[in-house]
Amino acid sequence: MTERSERDSYGADPEDLRLRLDRCQQEAAARRDEWDAKSKDLLSGFRQAQRYDRGFRNTRRRRELIELVRESRRARDDEQPTFDFDILPAQRDYPVVVVLDELLIRTRDLTERAGQLVRNAGLTPEPVEGLDGRVLRLRAEPAPVGRLAELAKALHREGVPVSFDYISPLAVVMKGEGGIEESAWHEPSQQVERGGVRVGIIDTGRSAEVRRDGWLTGVSGDEDPLYIDAERTLGPGGGHGQFVAGIVRQVAPRADVKVYRALDQWGVGREADVASAMFRAAREGLGDGHKVVLNLSFGVQPVEDRPPIAQEVALELIDEAVAAKGADAEVLVVAAAGNYGTTEPVYPAAFSRVISVAAVDQNCQPADWSSRGDRVDCSTIGVGVRSTYVEGTEWPALDA
């Protein structure tokens, strides 16, 4: 009779099996704790987002937040903003926000007669950078926003087609209470060959920090300042560009991604700066030999539905750049349909040249805050989206 050793029929030591089982049980318990913590973090973030969404859809609360951002930007000692803004008096049910003390006009529309009217109104023309000299900024003496609105109306009555330099507001990305987490997704392969398509993200920029999980390896572009104080408090818009870049990397891992800064960490950007960044991104992408997709995850509802001048010019310049490159060149512009929950046009999405994308929830039902209507070209999930983010503490006013 053959003597049996202290091993099972598969050659495993029983003591070794017991130790393995103990380790598995310990790992399972640890993972349960980890998933419990993540579930609580997700639920906390979801409830926080619900509170913010309910408040922001309230016109009074939206106005309060805009005014708080304005005053907080002004109060910074270390970095004075290059422009100021305010809410136009009683234009619509929602606040329309514009840059103070300036209007925009196409250079070709500043005829001799228009130029005389502009000078009589105390406005000084200067070219907007980055738009090939086709748009002028009309500088006014500092005055309340109501005075600027009166000037614009008076010039329109005289046939001078001026426009406000609208503020492009960002929606807020909520940060979970649990802090930074490694991605639960498999990180993208570092061996993926990229470069066929360049996705230019017009936003707040990207974080200078290097992620350990590799999700944003190879993402280039302008730096997002992120914080509004030395305690690393994130601005309302801080990290928005990083978040969008992560979404692009999830759905298009082979794309070459570059983030352009046209809005600051407060989530505030001038239309003229957005337009300049659009043209710059398209020009650079085409120049590097790419087909280009421009992503703009924001939009504005202008006064009397007049298309914003600077964005309109940027699209014209992009089309000219595509035509100059030849038949293989292509620039696709994609923009958010808007976060206003109405059918009124939101630009740049409302331009026929732009693909307008609305939001649906996880059940493919329209998100109640998403703009809608026959100008929308397609919809995608925009509720409960998770993506790459940054370290820091949220601005407390968002939870007020």
Side-chain angles (χ1 to χ4, degrees):
M1 180 175 174
T2 304
E3 184 178 346
R4 288 180 62 87
S5 66
E6 282 297 312
R7 292 179 178 275
D8 64 13
S9 59
Y10 294 97
D13 188 327
E15 180 62 19
D16 182 54
L17 287 175
R18 186 184 66 76
L19 291 174
R20 289 186 189 181
L21 179 60
D22 287 346
R23 282 198 298 270
C24 286
Q25 289 174 334
Q26 291 170 3
E27 289 176 5
R31 289 188 176 183
R32 279 196 299 272
D33 292 341
E34 178 185 352
W35 282 107
D36 283 347
K38 285 189 175 182
S39 296
K40 291 177 181 177
D41 190 32
L42 280 172
L43 183 59
S44 169
F46 175 71
R47 287 172 175 167
Q48 182 187 23
Q50 279 187 318
R51 291 195 302 272
Y52 171 80
D53 183 50
R54 283 194 298 268
F56 200 66
R57 281 186 284 129
N58 178 290
T59 300
R60 182 180 60 81
R61 174 60 176 155
R62 181 180 288 207
R63 182 179 292 271
E64 289 173 353
L65 278 173
I66 291 169
E67 291 174 346
L68 184 57
V69 166
R70 183 190 64 201
E71 296 305 318
S72 299
R73 282 176 87 244
R74 289 175 177 173
R76 287 194 64 181
D77 295 328
D78 58 329
E79 182 182 341
Q80 288 301 306
T82 57
F83 62 90
D84 201 357
F85 62 89
D86 207 342
I87 300 170
L88 284 176
Q91 292 290 335
R92 293 179 180 268
D93 293 337
Y94 56 86
V96 177
V97 188
V98 300
V99 179
L100 278 176
D101 307 326
E102 65 181 58
L103 297 169
L104 300 178
I105 189 171
R106 284 177 177 264
T107 304
R108 72 187 186 195
D109 291 332
L110 195 65
T111 62
E112 183 176 349
R113 176 178 176 276
Q116 186 60 53
L117 290 168
V118 162
R119 287 189 293 274
N120 291 344
L123 300 170
T124 304
E126 61 181 52
V128 171
E129 292 184 9
L131 292 176
D132 201 30
R134 300 191 190 184
V135 179
L136 296 172
R137 180 175 282 119
L138 304 177
R139 295 282 192 187
E141 292 296 321
V145 69
R147 172 61 180 152
L148 189 70
E150 291 170 3
L151 278 176
K153 285 182 180 179
L155 288 169
H156 270 283
R157 284 195 297 268
E158 294 292 338
V160 182
V162 296
S163 171
F164 296 106
D165 194 353
Y166 292 100
I167 292 294
S168 299
L170 284 177
V172 174
V173 177
M174 290 297 180
K175 186 177 180 64
E177 291 180 354
I180 191 169
E181 298 172 356
E182 295 290 338
S183 172
W185 289 48
H186 295 296
E187 66 184 60
S189 170
Q190 304 306 307
Q191 306 303 316
V192 168
E193 183 178 350
R194 300 189 176 101
V197 174
R198 160 78 57 80
V199 178
I201 299 171
I202 315 301
D203 214 285
T204 60
R206 63 180 179 86
S207 171
E209 297 175 339
V210 178
R211 291 182 63 91
R212 294 189 301 271
D213 58 15
W215 263 107
L216 299 182
T217 299
V219 172
S220 60
D222 305 327
E223 185 175 329
D224 183 342
L226 297 177
Y227 307 110
I228 58 176
D229 58 31
E231 285 70 41
R232 292 167 65 88
T233 301
L234 289 163
H240 193 279
Q242 185 97 333
F243 189 91
V244 175
I247 295 173
V248 172
R249 185 49 62 82
Q250 289 176 50
V251 300
R254 294 183 181 276
D256 178 88
V257 181
K258 189 167 184 177
V259 190
Y260 293 82
R261 184 186 178 202
L263 301 99
D264 63 20
Q265 66 269 46
W266 293 95
V268 172
R270 294 184 292 192
E271 177 211 334
D273 294 335
V274 169
S276 296
M278 290 168 62
F279 182 42
R280 175 188 163 205
R283 186 180 64 243
E284 290 182 356
L286 292 171
D288 291 340
H290 298 286
K291 294 183 182 299
V292 180
V293 177
L294 298 186
N295 181 93
L296 297 98
S297 297
F298 52 85
V300 296
Q301 287 187 330
V303 174
E304 297 179 2
D305 300 337
R306 297 190 189 105
I309 286 174
Q311 292 179 11
E312 192 172 45
V313 168
L315 292 172
E316 292 170 3
L317 288 167
I318 288 169
D319 286 341
E320 291 173 16
V322 169
K325 272 290 181 179
D328 292 336
E330 186 176 359
V331 176
L332 180 69
V333 184
V334 181
N339 295 341
Y340 297 89
T342 69
T343 59
E344 296 184 61
V346 175
Y347 290 89
F351 286 110
S352 59
R353 167 72 171 79
V354 177
I355 303 299
S356 174
V357 184
V360 295
D361 62 21
Q362 300 290 338
N363 297 315
C364 290
Q365 297 301 306
D368 57 1
W369 46 262
S370 178
S371 297
R372 59 205 68 201
D374 56 10
R375 292 180 177 85
V376 172
D377 296 296
C378 58
S379 298
T380 190
I381 291 176
V383 177
V385 178
R386 300 186 76 193
S387 186
T388 50
Y389 204 39
V390 294
E391 292 186 277
T393 303
E394 280 182 346
W395 193 38
L398 296 177
D399 280 335

